Short mmCIF file of all heavy atoms in Angstrom, two decimals:
data_model
loop_
_atom_site.label_atom_id
_atom_site.label_comp_id
_atom_site.label_asym_id
_atom_site.label_seq_id
_atom_site.Cartn_x
_atom_site.Cartn_y
_atom_site.Cartn_z
N VAL A 7 62.36 9.61 28.82
CA VAL A 7 62.25 9.33 30.25
C VAL A 7 60.86 8.86 30.62
O VAL A 7 60.68 8.04 31.51
CB VAL A 7 62.63 10.58 31.07
CG1 VAL A 7 62.33 10.37 32.53
CG2 VAL A 7 64.10 10.88 30.87
N GLU A 13 54.47 7.41 37.04
CA GLU A 13 54.93 7.64 38.40
C GLU A 13 56.43 7.42 38.44
O GLU A 13 56.91 6.33 38.12
CB GLU A 13 54.20 6.72 39.37
CG GLU A 13 52.71 7.02 39.44
CD GLU A 13 51.99 6.06 40.36
OE1 GLU A 13 52.63 5.11 40.85
OE2 GLU A 13 50.79 6.26 40.58
N GLU A 28 67.31 -7.87 30.17
CA GLU A 28 67.78 -7.87 28.79
C GLU A 28 69.17 -8.50 28.68
O GLU A 28 69.49 -9.15 27.68
CB GLU A 28 67.82 -6.44 28.25
CG GLU A 28 66.48 -5.89 27.83
CD GLU A 28 66.56 -4.45 27.34
OE1 GLU A 28 67.64 -3.81 27.53
OE2 GLU A 28 65.57 -3.96 26.78
N MET A 50 65.99 -2.29 45.08
CA MET A 50 65.72 -1.20 44.16
C MET A 50 64.66 -1.60 43.14
O MET A 50 63.76 -0.82 42.82
CB MET A 50 67.01 -0.76 43.46
CG MET A 50 67.98 -0.02 44.40
SD MET A 50 69.59 0.33 43.62
CE MET A 50 69.12 1.61 42.44
N GLU A 51 64.73 -2.82 42.64
CA GLU A 51 63.74 -3.26 41.66
C GLU A 51 62.37 -3.47 42.29
O GLU A 51 61.35 -3.35 41.61
CB GLU A 51 64.20 -4.56 40.98
CG GLU A 51 65.29 -4.33 39.97
CD GLU A 51 65.56 -5.55 39.10
OE1 GLU A 51 64.69 -6.45 39.04
OE2 GLU A 51 66.64 -5.62 38.48
N LYS A 52 62.32 -3.76 43.58
CA LYS A 52 61.05 -3.92 44.28
C LYS A 52 60.46 -2.58 44.70
O LYS A 52 59.33 -2.51 45.18
CB LYS A 52 61.23 -4.80 45.51
CG LYS A 52 61.55 -6.25 45.21
CD LYS A 52 61.78 -7.02 46.51
CE LYS A 52 62.15 -8.46 46.24
NZ LYS A 52 62.47 -9.18 47.50
N ALA A 64 76.58 4.55 38.35
CA ALA A 64 77.37 3.35 38.06
C ALA A 64 76.60 2.41 37.14
O ALA A 64 77.19 1.79 36.23
CB ALA A 64 77.74 2.65 39.36
N THR A 67 76.74 3.72 33.59
CA THR A 67 78.04 3.42 32.98
C THR A 67 78.11 1.95 32.56
O THR A 67 78.56 1.62 31.46
CB THR A 67 79.17 3.74 33.97
OG1 THR A 67 79.13 5.13 34.31
CG2 THR A 67 80.52 3.43 33.34
N LEU A 81 64.21 12.03 39.36
CA LEU A 81 62.75 12.18 39.36
C LEU A 81 62.14 11.38 40.51
O LEU A 81 61.22 11.84 41.20
CB LEU A 81 62.18 11.70 38.03
CG LEU A 81 62.50 12.57 36.80
CD1 LEU A 81 62.02 11.89 35.53
CD2 LEU A 81 61.87 13.94 36.94
N GLN A 86 59.78 11.19 45.93
CA GLN A 86 59.86 10.73 47.31
C GLN A 86 59.74 11.92 48.26
O GLN A 86 59.08 11.84 49.30
CB GLN A 86 61.18 10.01 47.51
CG GLN A 86 61.28 9.20 48.80
CD GLN A 86 62.58 8.43 48.85
OE1 GLN A 86 63.63 8.93 48.46
NE2 GLN A 86 62.52 7.22 49.33
N GLN A 95 51.64 16.35 56.01
CA GLN A 95 50.30 16.95 56.07
C GLN A 95 49.31 15.98 56.69
O GLN A 95 48.48 16.36 57.52
CB GLN A 95 49.84 17.34 54.66
CG GLN A 95 50.67 18.43 54.00
CD GLN A 95 50.23 18.68 52.57
OE1 GLN A 95 49.15 18.27 52.15
NE2 GLN A 95 51.06 19.34 51.80
N TYR A 96 49.41 14.71 56.28
CA TYR A 96 48.53 13.70 56.85
C TYR A 96 48.75 13.57 58.36
O TYR A 96 47.79 13.48 59.13
CB TYR A 96 48.77 12.34 56.18
CG TYR A 96 48.16 11.20 56.96
CD1 TYR A 96 46.79 10.94 56.89
CD2 TYR A 96 48.94 10.40 57.79
CE1 TYR A 96 46.22 9.92 57.63
CE2 TYR A 96 48.37 9.37 58.53
CZ TYR A 96 47.02 9.14 58.44
OH TYR A 96 46.45 8.14 59.19
N HIS A 109 41.12 0.93 56.28
CA HIS A 109 41.14 -0.40 55.70
C HIS A 109 42.59 -0.76 55.41
O HIS A 109 43.29 -0.02 54.71
CB HIS A 109 40.34 -0.46 54.40
CG HIS A 109 40.46 -1.77 53.70
ND1 HIS A 109 40.99 -1.89 52.43
CD2 HIS A 109 40.15 -3.04 54.08
CE1 HIS A 109 40.98 -3.16 52.07
NE2 HIS A 109 40.48 -3.88 53.06
N ALA A 110 43.07 -1.88 55.97
CA ALA A 110 44.46 -2.30 55.81
C ALA A 110 44.51 -3.52 54.89
O ALA A 110 43.86 -4.53 55.16
CB ALA A 110 45.06 -2.64 57.16
N GLY A 131 62.56 -1.44 54.17
CA GLY A 131 62.43 -0.35 53.19
C GLY A 131 63.70 0.46 53.08
O GLY A 131 64.80 -0.08 52.95
N GLU A 137 68.41 6.56 61.61
CA GLU A 137 67.18 7.01 60.97
C GLU A 137 66.06 6.00 61.21
O GLU A 137 64.91 6.38 61.48
CB GLU A 137 67.39 7.19 59.47
CG GLU A 137 66.13 7.56 58.69
CD GLU A 137 65.51 8.88 59.11
OE1 GLU A 137 66.21 9.70 59.76
OE2 GLU A 137 64.32 9.10 58.81
N GLN A 141 62.50 6.71 63.13
CA GLN A 141 61.21 6.43 62.51
C GLN A 141 60.36 5.49 63.37
O GLN A 141 59.15 5.68 63.51
CB GLN A 141 61.42 5.81 61.12
CG GLN A 141 62.02 6.76 60.09
CD GLN A 141 61.08 7.89 59.72
OE1 GLN A 141 59.86 7.75 59.78
NE2 GLN A 141 61.63 9.02 59.33
N ILE A 146 55.80 4.54 67.17
CA ILE A 146 55.31 4.04 68.45
C ILE A 146 54.75 5.20 69.28
O ILE A 146 53.77 5.04 70.02
CB ILE A 146 56.43 3.32 69.22
CG1 ILE A 146 56.93 2.12 68.41
CG2 ILE A 146 55.95 2.86 70.59
CD1 ILE A 146 55.85 1.14 68.01
N THR A 153 45.80 5.59 73.20
CA THR A 153 45.93 5.18 74.60
C THR A 153 46.07 6.34 75.57
O THR A 153 46.13 6.12 76.78
CB THR A 153 47.16 4.26 74.76
OG1 THR A 153 48.34 4.99 74.38
CG2 THR A 153 47.03 3.02 73.89
N PHE A 160 38.82 4.67 66.96
CA PHE A 160 39.55 4.08 65.84
C PHE A 160 38.88 2.78 65.43
O PHE A 160 38.60 1.90 66.25
CB PHE A 160 41.00 3.79 66.26
CG PHE A 160 41.85 3.18 65.17
CD1 PHE A 160 42.33 3.95 64.12
CD2 PHE A 160 42.16 1.84 65.21
CE1 PHE A 160 43.11 3.39 63.12
CE2 PHE A 160 42.95 1.26 64.22
CZ PHE A 160 43.43 2.04 63.17
N PRO A 174 59.20 -12.57 60.75
CA PRO A 174 60.15 -13.68 60.67
C PRO A 174 60.38 -14.34 62.04
O PRO A 174 60.56 -15.56 62.11
CB PRO A 174 61.43 -13.02 60.14
CG PRO A 174 60.96 -11.80 59.42
CD PRO A 174 59.77 -11.32 60.19
N ASP A 190 42.19 -4.34 70.99
CA ASP A 190 40.79 -4.61 70.70
C ASP A 190 39.94 -4.57 71.98
O ASP A 190 38.73 -4.36 71.91
CB ASP A 190 40.66 -5.98 70.03
CG ASP A 190 39.24 -6.28 69.56
OD1 ASP A 190 38.69 -5.46 68.81
OD2 ASP A 190 38.69 -7.32 69.95
N ILE A 197 37.93 -3.62 65.72
CA ILE A 197 38.68 -4.32 64.67
C ILE A 197 37.76 -5.30 63.94
O ILE A 197 37.05 -6.09 64.56
CB ILE A 197 39.88 -5.09 65.27
CG1 ILE A 197 40.84 -4.11 65.94
CG2 ILE A 197 40.60 -5.89 64.17
CD1 ILE A 197 42.00 -4.79 66.65
N ALA A 208 36.06 -3.82 46.65
CA ALA A 208 36.68 -2.51 46.43
C ALA A 208 37.71 -2.23 47.52
O ALA A 208 37.70 -2.86 48.59
CB ALA A 208 35.61 -1.43 46.44
N GLN A 213 46.06 0.94 51.02
CA GLN A 213 45.66 1.27 52.38
C GLN A 213 44.82 2.56 52.32
O GLN A 213 45.25 3.54 51.72
CB GLN A 213 46.87 1.51 53.26
CG GLN A 213 47.86 0.34 53.33
CD GLN A 213 47.52 -0.65 54.41
OE1 GLN A 213 47.12 -1.77 54.10
NE2 GLN A 213 47.68 -0.28 55.63
N THR A 215 42.60 5.41 54.61
CA THR A 215 42.31 5.92 55.95
C THR A 215 41.42 7.15 55.86
O THR A 215 41.64 8.02 55.01
CB THR A 215 43.61 6.32 56.67
OG1 THR A 215 44.50 5.20 56.71
CG2 THR A 215 43.33 6.78 58.10
N ARG A 249 32.68 2.86 49.21
CA ARG A 249 33.41 1.61 49.00
C ARG A 249 33.83 1.00 50.33
O ARG A 249 33.78 -0.23 50.50
CB ARG A 249 34.64 1.87 48.12
CG ARG A 249 34.27 2.27 46.69
CD ARG A 249 35.50 2.61 45.88
NE ARG A 249 35.15 2.94 44.51
CZ ARG A 249 36.02 3.37 43.61
NH1 ARG A 249 37.29 3.53 43.94
NH2 ARG A 249 35.63 3.65 42.37
N GLU A 277 52.99 -23.59 65.96
CA GLU A 277 53.99 -23.82 64.92
C GLU A 277 55.31 -24.23 65.56
O GLU A 277 55.75 -23.63 66.54
CB GLU A 277 54.20 -22.57 64.06
CG GLU A 277 53.01 -22.23 63.18
CD GLU A 277 53.22 -20.93 62.44
OE1 GLU A 277 54.26 -20.30 62.65
OE2 GLU A 277 52.32 -20.54 61.68
#
Side-chain angles (χ1 to χ4, degrees):
V7 172
E13 295 177 355
E28 281 178 349
M50 289 174 70
E51 285 191 18
K52 292 177 182 176
T67 300
L81 291 173
Q86 193 175 40
Q95 295 175 16
Y96 165 78
H109 174 242
E137 176 62 18
Q141 292 293 332
I146 299 305
T153 61
F160 180 76
D190 186 55
I197 299 176
Q213 303 272 110
T215 304
R249 293 176 178 175
E277 291 176 358

